[in-house]
Amino acid sequence: MMTLRSTPTAPIDEDRLDLVFKALSDRTRRQMLAMLSRGSATVSELAAPFDMSLPAASKHLKVLENAQLVIRTKSGRVQTCTFQPDPMAHADQWLEHYRVFWNNRLESLKSYLEDKDSDT
Amino acid sequence: MMTLRSTPTAPIDEDRLDLVFKALSDRTRRQMLAMLSRGSATVSELAAPFDMSLPAASKHLKVLENAQLVIRTKSGRVQTCTFQPDPMAHADQWLEHYRVFWNNRLESLKSYLEDKDSDT
DNA sequence: GCAATGGTTAACCAAAGGGTTTAGTGTTTT
DNA sequence: AAAACACTAAACCCTTTGGTTAACCATTGC
C-alpha cells in the first residue's frame, strides 16, 4: 500500500526525522523515554533520577514533546507525560531500508558459527 | 545469543548511541548514507549533490565516521567512503525495546507487559 | 617542474544545545 | 490569607554545530 503523501521524501518527513533522531541522541532523554515506556509520569518524577535542575529536565521534556514522542496533559498543577510511539515508528521505518545490511551480516555470522561448530 | 558485554547499559553503549542518533539527526548525513547504501563513493561524489562547500560536506562525513557509520580508505589522493552498518544495528536494537508499542499494538503490548512483570 | 585535482586544516561566524540561577504563575494545602 | 508545591519563563553561560572562506598538503598529469 502506498503512502498518501504526494512525495515519499517530502521535507516534512525529513523534518520529523530530524526531530526524532535529535531527541533520541541524548541519553537523558532516552532514559526518560525508558521510564515513560513503563508508564506515564509527572515532570518531577521524570526529573528526579537526574543530577540536574528541574528546568534542565523540563527542557529535555520539551525536546521530546517537540518530536511528539511525549504528550503532556495538565491536571491541576501536575503535568502527566505520556509516551507517544508514532515518531519512533517513523524512525524505525527509515531504518528498515538499511536493515538488510546487518541482517545479511548476522546471517553470515550464523553460517560461520555453524561451520565452526561442525568442525569441533 | 547473549552479548559479551558485562553490563548491557554501560556508558560506552550510551556514548555510541549518542553518536549514532546524532549522526542520523541531520538530513544531509542521512542522504549521504542513502548514497553509500547504494555503493561506496569518494568524498567529492558524496559532496556533489549538496548545495554546500566541500569542507562542509567533509565535516558531515567526519560526523558519520565518528559514529563509525562510514569508514574511509585512502588510495592516492582519493578517499573512498564505505557504509558500515554496525552502529545502525545498535540503534535498531535500542529501538527494538519500543517496537512493541507500534507493532501489533495490543498483542505485543500484552506480551511486553508480561515480560516486564516476569522481570520483577 | 608546474599546474590541476582531491581533500583537509584553520579561522571565523551565527545559531542551537545543555546547563545554571532567579523569578514568576498557577494550584493546592493548611 | 499565607505557605508550600509543581512547574514554566527568562536571562545568562559556555560548548557544539553547521556553515563559510582562505590557505595548505598531497598526488597525479602534462
Side-chain angles (χ1 to χ4, degrees), chain A residues 7 13-14 23 26 33 35 40-41 57 69 90-91 95 99 101 106:
Chain A
T7 47
D13 283 353
E14 295 295 324
D26 183 284
L33 288 173
M35 296 172 70
S40 297
L69 281 162
H90 195 223
L95 275 176
R99 201 160 286 138
F101 285 97
L106 286 182

Side-chain angles (χ1 to χ4, degrees), chain A:
Chain A
M1 183 186 160
M2 256 315 264
T3 174
L4 293 173
R5 202 182 303 285
S6 52
T7 47
T9 55
I12 182 78
D13 283 353
E14 295 295 324
D15 285 347
R16 287 186 61 199
L17 284 174
D18 282 2
L19 289 174
V20 176
F21 281 128
K22 199 156 289 185
L24 298 183
S25 73
D26 183 284
R27 73 195 61 190
T28 300
R29 292 193 288 265
R30 285 197 303 274
Q31 197 173 329
M32 282 178 168
L33 288 173
M35 296 172 70
L36 288 173
S37 77
R38 297 189 285 272
S40 297
T42 70
V43 173
S44 304
E45 285 168 352
L46 286 168
F50 302 103
D51 187 22
M52 64 177 69
S53 64
L54 190 59
S58 184
K59 277 190 188 178
H60 280 299
L61 275 172
K62 188 178 283 182
V63 174
L64 292 172
E65 199 183 8
N66 250 245
Q68 290 178 273
L69 281 162
V70 320
I71 53 177
R72 295 156 116 122
T73 55
K74 198 172 160 189
S75 156
R77 65 183 169 185
V78 286
Q79 302 216 356
T80 304
C81 301
T82 309
F83 176 49
Q84 226 286 338
D86 284 16
M88 226 184 257
H90 195 223
D92 187 64
Q93 191 184 332
W94 182 87
L95 275 176
E96 171 66 29
H97 180 255
Y98 297 89
R99 201 160 286 138
V100 59
F101 285 97
W102 62 84
N103 278 346
N104 282 347
R105 206 165 255 229
L106 286 182
E107 211 49 44
S108 310
L109 179 61
K110 190 179 139 210
S111 51
Y112 162 74
L113 290 174
E114 280 164 359
D115 284 356
K116 188 183 65 129
D117 285 349
S118 70
D119 282 353
T120 55

Side-chain angles (χ1 to χ4, degrees), chain B residues 47-114:
Chain B
F50 301 103
D51 187 22
M52 63 178 68
S53 64
L54 190 60
S58 184
K59 277 190 187 177
H60 281 298
L61 274 172
K62 189 178 281 181
V63 174
L64 291 172
E65 198 182 9
N66 250 246
Q68 290 177 273
L69 281 163
V70 319
I71 53 177
R72 294 155 117 121
T73 54
K74 199 173 160 188
S75 157
R77 64 182 168 185
V78 182
Q79 302 216 358
T80 304
C81 301
T82 309
F83 177 48
Q84 227 286 340
D86 282 19
M88 227 183 255
H90 194 224
D92 187 64
Q93 191 183 331
W94 182 86
L95 275 176
E96 172 66 30
H97 181 254
Y98 297 89
R99 201 159 288 139
V100 296
F101 285 96
W102 65 85
N103 201 24
N104 289 340
R105 264 197 150 112
L106 292 182
E107 198 52 39
S108 301
L109 181 59
K110 189 181 139 210
S111 54
Y112 162 74
L113 290 173
E114 280 165 358

